[in-house]
Amino acid sequence: MTLFACIGAGKFESVRDSLNRLSRPGRTPGPDFAPRASGHRSPFNAIYGISWKVIHKMWGKPSHQVLQTGRTGFPAAPRRAIYPAMARKFTDPSLVIASHNAGKVREIADLLAPFGVAVVSAAELNLPEPEETGDSFAANAELKARAAAEASGLPSLADDSGLAVHALGGEPGIHSARWAETGNGRDFGVAMQKVEAALTGKADRSAHFACVLALVWPDGHVEGFEGRVDGTLVWPPRGVHGFGYDPVFRPDGYDVTFGEMDPEKKHAISHRADAFDKLVSACFRGAVP
C-alpha cells in the first residue's frame, strides 16, 4: 500500500507542504543538505511518523547538485527546495554563455539546441572576462556566471572545467587554462607538452575531466551541477576535434581520444554532458515558457 493510500489525498498534500516548508530559510534542511547527527529525526518525521527513506522511495532522490550540500563546493546561495521538480525552471527565451572560448560556447550551444534557447556568448556582448579567483571549479563557474548576469541583465550559464591528472595531485585542475598561457595568448599544444613533461617517469597516466556548471539569474538565484569523465592520457596528441586537452585524453572504454572522436559522440559522454544531464533534468525538462 502506498503512502498516498495510507494517509489520503488531503493529508498527502499536507505532508508535501510540510516538506516544502522545511526547505525555507532558517529551517532545518532535508537529508540531502548538511550532514545530520546519527539518529536525528526531523520535525517532519516527528509530526507524521514518516521516515525520509519512505519519502525518497516515493519521490526519488535528487538528480541535481544542491549548492548547500557542498558537493560542488559552492558557497551558500539563496535557498531552494531539495527535489529536482522544485528547482527553478528555465523559461527565459535567451541565455548568455559566460565564456570567451569559442569551442566551449559551440559545445554548450549544441547541448542546448533541443530546447530552442537563443544563445549568445559573453564575447559577442563584449562582456569582460572576470578574473578567476575561486579556489574550486564551482567557485569559478559561479563567479563567471554571476558577472555575466549582472552585466547583461540576462540569465547566464558558465562552466569551469579542467583536467585533473592523478599522478600530479590533480594538477593542472583549476589552472588548466593557465598552463596554456604563453606570451602570445593560450596555446594548448604547450599545455599538453607541460603535462607530458611532468609525467616523465610516472607509471600512472590516469586522469579525469571535471566540469561544474553554474546557472545564475539576474536576481541572484543560482543552480549548480557537476560532471566528470575518467580516462587515460596518451602521447603524442591524436585527433583534430574538440579543444583544450582533448587530443591527449582517451576516455575509459574507448580506443580513441576526445580529439579523434566524432563531436556528437563526445557530447554524449563528456564531463560537460554529464553536468548538462543534471542541469536539464532540474531546470529545463518540463519547463513552460
Side-chain angles (χ1 to χ4, degrees):
M1 183 178 292
T2 66
L3 177 63
F4 185 92
C6 288
I7 64 178
K11 293 248 183 183
F12 180 79
E13 296 299 324
S14 296
V15 167
R16 187 177 62 187
D17 291 344
S18 296
L19 178 60
N20 289 341
R21 284 196 295 274
L22 288 177
S23 67
R24 292 177 183 169
R27 301 303 299 270
T28 302
D32 227 50
F33 289 95
R36 293 167 172 269
S38 177
H40 174 87
R41 289 174 65 81
S42 72
F44 179 80
N45 285 336
I47 294 171
Y48 293 99
I50 300 167
S51 70
W52 284 109
K53 186 175 181 180
V54 173
I55 296 300
H56 284 160
K57 281 184 177 179
M58 251 182 58
W59 287 349
K61 290 194 178 183
S63 62
H64 73 291
Q65 302 291 331
V66 182
L67 302 193
Q68 284 82 0
T69 66
R71 289 178 299 189
T72 61
F74 278 100
R79 205 163 184 82
R80 62 193 52 81
I82 62 175
Y83 291 98
M86 298 177 188
R88 179 179 287 190
K89 298 296 184 182
F90 187 89
T91 58
D92 297 79
S94 56
L95 177 69
V96 175
I97 305 300
S99 176
H100 288 67
N101 182 317
K104 185 179 292 187
V105 170
R106 183 168 56 251
E107 185 171 326
I108 292 175
D110 287 345
L111 290 166
L112 285 175
F115 302 97
V117 178
V119 169
V120 61
S121 72
E124 291 175 286
L125 295 177
N126 293 317
L127 301 181
E129 289 189 85
E131 185 178 356
E132 297 181 18
T133 56
D135 59 1
S136 67
F137 291 124
N140 283 329
E142 183 179 0
L143 182 156
K144 291 185 284 188
R146 193 173 296 282
E150 291 176 352
S152 68
L154 296 170
S156 298
L157 179 69
D159 95 320
D160 198 53
S161 57
L163 177 70
V165 182
H166 303 161
L168 303 183
E171 291 291 331
I174 62 172
H175 304 300
S176 293
R178 296 180 195 175
W179 279 40
E181 294 291 352
T182 71
N184 297 314
R186 291 177 182 171
D187 184 339
F188 278 94
V190 171
M192 288 185 280
Q193 289 174 347
K194 288 180 181 178
V195 170
E196 182 62 21
L199 283 173
T200 300
K202 300 183 186 295
D204 182 8
R205 298 184 65 86
S206 64
H208 71 270
F209 274 124
C211 171
V212 174
L213 292 171
L215 176 58
V216 177
W217 279 261
D219 66 1
H221 185 92
V222 57
E223 299 281 355
F225 310 87
E226 184 172 14
R228 169 174 171 153
V229 61
D230 287 88
T232 301
L233 297 181
V234 303
W235 194 261
R238 295 169 9 200
V240 297
H241 298 301
F243 58 93
Y245 298 88
D246 284 354
V248 295
F249 184 84
R250 186 182 67 224
D252 288 348
Y254 294 84
D255 58 5
V256 295
T257 68
F258 272 169
E260 297 172 297
M261 191 174 288
D262 179 82
E264 287 188 9
K265 193 167 188 178
K266 178 202 169 183
H267 290 177
I269 67 168
S270 74
H271 50 307
R272 195 164 288 109
D274 185 23
F276 256 87
D277 283 345
K278 297 167 185 174
L279 167 69
V280 166
S281 294
C283 300
F284 284 82
R285 191 163 289 137
V288 179

